[in-house]
Amino acid sequence: MSDALEEAEPRAAAPDSGKLRDAFISYSRTDTPLAKQLQRGLERLAVSRFQPMRMSVFRDVTSLSASSDLWQSIHHELARSRHLVLLASPAAAASPWVVREVDHWLRERGTENLLIAVASGEIVWDDEAGDFDWDETTCLPPNLAGHFTSAPLWVDLREIEKRGRRSLSYPPFRAAVAALAAPLHGRPKEELEHDDFRQLRFVKRLSLSSVALLVVLLILAVYGFFDAARQRDEAVAQARTSASQALAARSGQLLATSPNQAAQYALYADETRSTPESRRALAQAVAAAPYAKRRLRGDADSVAGWEGAGNPVDTDVVVSADGTTAAYYSEFDQVRGTRLYDVRSARQSRVLRGEGRPRALSRDGRVLATDEVFLNRVKLWDTRTGKLLRTMLTGQSEDLPRASQGLSALALSPDGRWVAASHFTPEREAYVVVWRASDGREITRLRVGGSRLGLGFSGDGSRMTLVDSGRKEVRDFLTGPARWEAPRPLPGMTGDTSDDWKYDEVLLFDGARKALARTSDRAEVWDLAQRRRIAERSLGGYEDMAVADGEGNFVVGGQDGSVRLYDDGLRPGKTLGRLARTASTVAMSADGAQVAAASYGGEFNLFTTGARRGQQVPLDDREFTYGDLTPDGRMAVRRTEGHTEFWDPRTGRRLGGIPYANLSVNLEETAYGLSGDKRYVGMQSMGSRAGENTDRFSIWDLRTGKRTDCGVALNGAYEGTDRPAVFFLPGDRYVVGLWNSALEVLDTRSCTRSTVISESEYGTTLALSGDRRTLVVLDRFGRGVDTWRWDGDHTFEHAAHTTLPDGARLDGISVDHEGKRAAFSDLDSHVYVVRLDSGQQVRSTGQLPRSTSDVALSRDGRLLLQGFETATTQGVRILDAASGDLLDVWNTDPPAASAEPGVDMQVVPGPANDILTLGPDRKVVRRTVGVQAWRDLLCGLVSQPLPARERERYLKGLEVAAPCR
């Protein structure tokens, strides 16, 4: 492995893990010479020989044996690369590393920004199959099959490789590199080639000058360049700061009226220059759109002649009952067909090529029903394979009295076995038809009063209910005996058919036991079993409604583009978001958690009814109290009589339990640590039984629930200690903790200890970074901070010491993931931030309104999070770690009735870019924080560039890339 690592070029290590790369080259070791020259060509093309490279290209080493550390590095580089360049060849197609890298890219990005350069072998596209001809194609990994919907462009390097001429001075190679570099630069290929040729010509002319004159001119040029560059950089920096502040201010103005636009300006503010103002704008934009999940399709540039309820709905969306699958169709989509999306990942999974609009999905999302209104035709599709399963005709497909009145109401049973639809005949008569999906056979046909109908199946599919508001009656069809039951009257139900066609359909929910009848401005809810109206409300102008079948909640798409929730009594609730144009179509899952909304302009957004900035962690409905989260956020500890349970708040799963619990323990008397593999837990506790001192640090096996043989007997370990803590170090062999008046490292194999800090230097509080390599220790009196780095073998090495201001009475401590910053809270509500690399920079964020000991840094160390709780509310304060500015306050819901009064909010690091909070309501909540995490979230909502007029207004003369590129 070491030989292979030596072959990797220095560029394989990122100089700055916070910046995006332009490309990641995936290749076989057989193609290493070509890959090296391709990397150099992409980085040097159209770049002056006197300027640094503009492109950052990562070149993978694919011949190494699998190791977790190596794959984590490659996974990290893939995640922050904008493009994947696949150097295709038979060797690459057979390389497990190439297959793994391509598989990761397809799973996270799809075919977006995937470029193909053919080094050898064959590549053939089959237009009829809509995929590569895999019988002829030998150079592509097999996991690319089925991912392209049309023939992609690829760059052919085979002839160049045969000639062995891999230099930009060779025109064919330069042309091939320019073709690959064009999407990376966002510029035409011809323009790049011209720039590269111009740079080459300039160098040749310059080389003809005399050496003496060149030296003189060079000295003058260098002096002038650096002086001008310094002045220019200062002016540009000031201009960028001013522009960023102006964009952030504009974002703040738009928060209340247009959250999407506010997000757009916030993104450009941070892209122009990251300032406290831009970070505040990002935080506030996230808070203003807490329910937004992902913007999947953008709004059309023009909808002239299309917009309005008087025309057929130009965009349709449906969501499966289990909330896993969404289907989308729009007249504005360039792809003619229905797009299928995985709701959880918010990514497209397949395109169904065929006419018809999506109308219903089976409960599990595996069967989709589409209709062709004008032909009275229903089609069933298998969403996993994209195959057409069945086509069902009503027998009346021509000469319909109104083009928009063919098929009307449509229902698909939850198990996908039955289909029902109402339709019109050329004689303007209306019928309801029920088909058996397995063979498409018509089971029954019933004459109905008109178009204002409701169709719905019970949860088990044994019953279909028909609501005929024209005749003001309800009746059931039993699918088992294929028999209609007698109609039951519904006196008083609205049966007005003079309203627009969009409001003809009656919505059934709660297993078809309730119904929603609607007009263009009013809605009423009916209990079909008791045949009475149970709710009624005027809604004003709206375009569409949908209902959560299992919850009875409603979502309304407004004419102003708003997407708003209503409860089962039609009382208005929270607004999930707003579309650019009228929200023409809405849909939601049975539990009401997932909402899809589309506009007349083709925009398609996903929302979640649980606020994105705060999602409760499911821990089997267990309740936890303040202090039950470990400081590193890796465990939630729940103690009962004689038993202790350990839960993983990152996954919501139970890790295990041990038959021991000291119910008198609290933050000052106990500590827990979890091994990296989550198999062992270290517990430091204090107590006594029958006069016996049981103070001890023990290691327990969570698989067996038994104590291991290795531990430490404690004598007065808590004297003068604010918060004991124990941590497993990388590799899980060693544990560090405060034992017997000393900071020690325990070797769990030999059960021997080594001292890091002796009794005379005894510290009171310690914390470990997220990567488990940096240890921060407060001294006895809380006046100084010592930083220790784990050497990766068996001991710590002292790195820095920081003296804190006089009068600081430190209480809480947090270290960021990479051990670059630490934050401390004191008893006077001040917060101090220390740079651990130099140990010299200390900043106080100022006094906070209420004393709290818990603070947490975001993963990148740029944000400081602090929980708070008052008599009326609780939440998290977000501070800028560099400036100390308050960026935002995220309030949570008022504490539950069972909440303990006067209990603080515990705040600890969470998985990835999240933090975990535990407040008086005794629930663990995950909250997404971090500048890059916020940018990723907001880019999912509004990814289009700033309009040209606004760029000219705020960014004139500045080069600012699109933040969501």
Side-chain angles (χ1 to χ4, degrees):
M1 178 179 291
S2 59
D3 294 339
L5 284 172
E6 290 175 359
E7 293 186 8
E9 301 226 347
R11 303 194 66 84
D16 185 351
S17 62
K19 296 182 180 179
L20 294 176
R21 288 196 180 276
D22 297 282
F24 181 112
I25 299 180
S26 181
Y27 67 102
S28 166
R29 188 176 183 181
T30 306
D31 304 315
T32 296
L34 179 59
K36 284 184 178 180
Q37 293 304 112
L38 184 60
Q39 176 191 10
R40 178 175 176 79
L42 290 171
E43 293 178 335
R44 297 305 316 180
L45 184 71
V47 177
S48 170
R49 296 337 184 238
F50 302 101
Q51 294 180 354
M53 293 176 290
R54 299 173 185 171
M55 293 285 103
S56 176
V57 179
F58 180 86
R59 181 164 59 83
D60 185 17
V61 180
T62 60
S63 60
L64 299 177
S65 60
S67 71
S68 58
D69 289 341
L70 178 59
W71 174 244
Q72 288 299 324
S73 300
I74 294 175
H75 178 277
H76 176 69
E77 296 295 339
L78 282 168
R80 64 192 192 93
S81 298
R82 295 192 299 113
H83 295 78
L84 177 67
V85 178
L86 172 60
L87 191 56
S89 69
S95 169
W97 279 96
V98 173
V99 171
R100 193 174 183 184
E101 290 159 359
V102 170
D103 186 71
H104 175 82
W105 190 270
L106 293 174
R107 186 172 59 255
E108 297 296 328
R109 310 276 188 90
T111 56
E112 179 185 6
N113 294 345
L114 194 156
L115 310 176
I116 300 175
V118 182
S120 60
E122 297 297 325
I123 181 170
V124 179
W125 177 262
D126 188 345
D127 288 327
E128 182 176 353
D131 199 352
F132 291 99
D133 186 340
W134 293 100
D135 292 331
E136 299 290 331
T137 300
T138 62
C139 64
L140 295 179
N143 54 349
L144 278 176
H147 282 277
F148 287 95
T149 57
S150 59
L153 296 177
W154 59 77
V155 176
D156 197 337
L157 301 175
R158 289 175 289 189
E159 187 63 27
I160 297 171
E161 182 67 359
K162 289 180 180 179
R163 295 177 179 270
R165 302 186 63 179
R166 313 182 192 99
S167 170
L168 289 178
S169 61
Y170 183 50
F173 184 72
R174 182 173 64 244
V177 172
L180 288 172
L184 274 63
H185 287 267
R187 298 170 59 191
K189 168 189 171 185
E190 294 77 10
E191 184 177 327
L192 288 174
E193 288 188 273
H194 174 75
D195 285 355
D196 188 75
F197 179 75
R198 180 170 54 83
Q199 296 293 347
L200 181 62
R201 184 175 58 186
F202 171 77
V203 172
K204 289 182 178 179
R205 288 180 178 177
L206 190 62
S207 64
L208 299 177
S209 302
S210 66
V211 175
L213 180 60
L214 179 61
V215 171
V216 173
L217 293 177
L218 183 60
I219 294 174
L220 295 175
V222 168
Y223 175 81
F225 171 78
F226 281 107
D227 185 61
R230 178 184 58 80
Q231 298 183 34
R232 183 182 68 251
D233 291 345
E234 291 178 356
V236 170
Q238 184 175 0
R240 295 180 78 93
T241 299
S242 299
S244 175
Q245 293 171 339
L247 288 163
R250 179 57 177 159
S251 174
Q253 295 171 354
L254 294 168
L255 283 172
T257 57
S258 181
N260 276 22
Q261 279 189 293
Q264 186 180 46
Y265 282 92
L267 287 165
Y268 268 91
D270 197 67
E271 182 70 23
T272 302
R273 190 175 185 84
S274 185
T275 64
E277 291 82 5
S278 72
R279 294 190 281 275
R280 178 183 293 110
L282 290 174
Q284 292 175 342
V286 171
Y291 304 102
K293 184 170 184 178
R294 187 68 181 270
R295 184 181 186 185
L296 297 175
R297 307 294 299 177
D299 193 69
D301 294 334
S302 174
V303 294
W306 293 86
E307 186 171 353
N311 289 326
V313 179
D314 304 306
T315 304
D316 285 284
V317 293
V318 293
V319 176
S320 61
D322 64 0
T324 61
T325 307
Y328 163 90
Y329 170 90
S330 177
E331 292 287 347
F332 301 103
D333 195 354
Q334 294 180 353
V335 174
R336 307 313 300 168
T338 298
R339 295 180 183 266
L340 300 176
Y341 291 87
D342 181 284
V343 174
R344 292 191 180 95
S345 64
R347 295 187 180 278
Q348 180 177 306
S349 58
R350 186 176 298 278
V351 176
L352 302 181
R353 305 283 183 172
E355 297 297 328
R357 302 170 184 271
R359 292 294 301 274
L361 280 159
S362 61
R363 179 169 39 218
D364 58 7
R366 295 172 63 176
V367 178
L368 171 69
T370 65
D371 69 10
E372 297 176 22
V373 173
F374 311 135
L375 297 176
N376 275 341
R377 185 158 56 190
V378 179
K379 293 182 177 181
L380 296 182
W381 301 81
D382 187 327
T383 60
R384 296 170 302 172
T385 63
K387 293 182 179 180
L388 178 64
L389 300 175
R390 199 79 58 211
T391 299
M392 291 160 288
L393 299 173
T394 66
Q396 306 287 340
S397 59
E398 298 178 355
D399 302 324
L400 295 177
R402 290 178 60 187
S404 62
Q405 285 193 347
L407 289 171
S408 181
L410 186 145
L412 178 66
S413 65
D415 56 11
R417 298 176 59 189
W418 302 93
V419 183
S422 64
H423 74 94
F424 280 87
T425 67
E427 293 77 22
R428 304 178 66 89
E429 295 176 343
Y431 288 87
V432 166
V433 181
V434 180
W435 294 276
R436 187 164 54 202
S438 59
D439 55 11
R441 188 168 69 89
E442 182 178 310
I443 302 300
T444 185
R445 175 182 294 269
L446 179 69
R447 178 81 177 270
V448 292
S451 61
R452 193 177 292 274
L453 300 173
L455 296 174
F457 285 88
S458 61
D460 58 5
S462 64
R463 169 179 52 86
M464 186 199 74
T465 299
L466 161 67
V467 175
D468 189 337
S469 61
R471 294 181 175 178
K472 293 182 173 54
E473 64 181 26
V474 57
R475 65 190 307 174
D476 293 332
F477 175 76
L478 304 180
T479 57
R483 173 174 54 83
W484 285 99
E485 293 191 332
R488 305 182 301 276
L490 286 174
M493 173 174 278
T494 177
D496 183 12
T497 58
S498 63
D499 235 336
D500 188 85
W501 66 273
K502 281 196 66 177
Y503 311 103
D504 285 352
E505 187 178 2
V506 178
L507 303 179
L508 272 64
F509 61 100
D510 192 16
R513 290 187 289 266
K514 294 179 182 177
L516 174 79
R518 55 184 179 170
T519 66
S520 58
D521 61 357
R522 186 172 61 88
E524 53 187 35
V525 179
W526 283 75
D527 187 319
L528 299 180
Q530 300 183 15
R531 291 176 289 165
R532 65 182 183 89
R533 184 187 295 112
I534 57 178
E536 184 177 6
R537 188 177 187 89
S538 175
L539 299 177
Y542 76 99
E543 286 300 302
D544 194 25
M545 289 185 71
V547 61
D549 182 67
E551 295 294 319
N553 297 330
F554 305 99
V555 60
V556 175
Q559 292 180 351
D560 60 352
S562 63
V563 181
R564 190 171 188 179
L565 289 180
Y566 286 75
D567 65 12
D568 54 3
L570 290 176
R571 291 178 291 269
K574 53 197 173 189
T575 298
L576 300 181
R578 190 181 301 273
L579 307 182
R581 287 185 170 85
T582 299
S584 63
T585 311
V586 291
M588 64 193 311
S589 58
D591 61 3
Q594 309 294 338
V595 174
S599 74
Y600 280 117
E603 183 179 0
F604 179 26
N605 284 9
L606 287 178
F607 299 94
T608 175
T609 54
R612 182 65 180 268
R613 69 180 187 221
Q615 293 283 356
Q616 182 176 320
V617 179
L619 295 171
D620 199 26
D621 294 329
R622 297 293 200 277
E623 290 189 344
F624 297 85
T625 59
Y626 180 83
D628 283 347
L629 287 175
T630 55
D632 58 6
R634 301 187 68 222
M635 280 194 302
V637 184
R638 187 172 184 271
R639 296 175 296 274
T640 59
E641 186 69 36
H643 188 76
T644 303
E645 290 182 338
F646 301 95
W647 294 78
D648 186 348
R650 304 175 183 227
T651 63
R653 297 177 180 176
R654 184 177 182 272
L655 295 171
I658 60 176
Y660 178 90
N662 187 341
L663 297 183
S664 67
V665 298
N666 53 44
L667 286 174
E668 286 72 35
E669 297 175 340
T670 189
Y672 301 93
L674 182 66
S675 63
D677 60 7
K678 301 181 181 180
R679 177 176 178 178
Y680 298 97
V681 64
M683 183 176 72
Q684 183 169 323
S685 62
M686 180 179 181
S688 61
R689 281 195 305 268
E692 176 189 0
N693 182 12
T694 58
D695 299 355
R696 183 178 176 82
F697 168 73
S698 303
I699 298 178
W700 296 76
D701 189 331
L702 291 178
R703 296 182 183 177
T704 63
K706 296 181 179 180
R707 194 198 321 249
T708 65
D709 295 333
C710 188
V712 179
L714 306 179
N715 296 310
Y718 301 98
E719 181 181 354
T721 301
D722 289 333
R723 288 191 180 186
V726 290
F727 302 100
F728 281 85
L729 298 173
D732 295 335
R733 176 176 176 176
Y734 297 96
V735 181
V736 62
L738 285 169
W739 301 311
N740 301 325
S741 301
L743 179 67
E744 297 180 328
V745 174
L746 171 67
D747 186 335
T748 60
R749 294 184 184 176
S750 62
C751 209
T752 58
R753 307 197 304 271
S754 58
T755 301
V756 179
I757 303 177
S758 63
E759 182 176 0
S760 61
E761 304 165 355
Y762 176 56
T764 62
T765 305
L766 64 154
L768 196 68
S769 60
D771 61 7
R772 301 193 288 167
R773 297 182 181 278
T774 301
L775 183 69
V776 178
V777 186
L778 293 179
D779 66 14
R780 179 191 299 270
F781 305 103
R783 296 174 181 173
V785 179
D786 284 282
T787 304
W788 300 77
R789 309 283 187 188
W790 179 245
D791 66 358
D793 186 12
H794 66 284
T795 189
F796 281 95
E797 297 177 353
H798 190 265
H801 176 82
T802 301
T803 302
L804 297 175
D806 292 338
R809 298 185 299 164
L810 300 187
D811 188 23
I813 179 172
S814 176
V815 185
D816 68 5
H817 183 77
E818 296 182 357
K820 295 180 179 180
R821 289 183 178 90
F824 308 89
S825 63
D826 74 356
L827 298 177
D828 294 324
S829 301
H830 290 279
V831 177
Y832 301 93
V833 179
V834 177
R835 289 287 300 271
L836 297 177
D837 51 357
S838 63
Q840 298 301 315
Q841 299 184 23
V842 179
R843 178 179 293 277
S844 170
T845 62
Q847 192 170 10
L848 299 176
R850 185 178 185 275
S851 175
T852 180
S853 58
D854 278 311
V855 292
L857 286 162
S858 61
R859 187 179 181 90
D860 58 8
R862 299 171 68 183
L863 303 175
L864 180 63
L865 297 308
Q866 186 169 37
F868 71 91
E869 189 269 335
T870 67
T872 58
T873 188
Q874 58 179 311
V876 178
R877 293 165 54 89
I878 304 174
L879 305 170
D880 190 291
S883 67
D885 292 348
L886 177 64
L887 301 182
D888 203 8
V889 176
W890 285 359
N891 293 325
T892 62
D893 295 332
S898 61
E900 300 178 26
V903 178
D904 289 336
M905 286 278 290
Q906 188 178 7
V907 181
V908 298
N913 291 304
D914 292 348
I915 62 168
L916 301 175
T917 62
L918 174 58
D921 58 358
R922 302 184 180 182
K923 303 298 183 183
V924 179
V925 177
R926 286 180 60 169
R927 305 172 192 276
T928 300
V929 296
V931 173
Q932 189 57 49
W934 289 342
R935 288 185 55 149
D936 293 343
L937 174 62
L938 296 178
C939 279
L941 305 181
V942 52
S943 58
Q944 68 268 31
L946 199 66
R949 183 175 62 182
E950 295 300 286
R951 284 189 64 95
E952 181 70 14
R953 177 182 178 184
Y954 291 100
L955 301 174
K956 185 176 182 180
L958 297 176
E959 293 185 6
V960 178
C964 301
R965 59 187 182 278

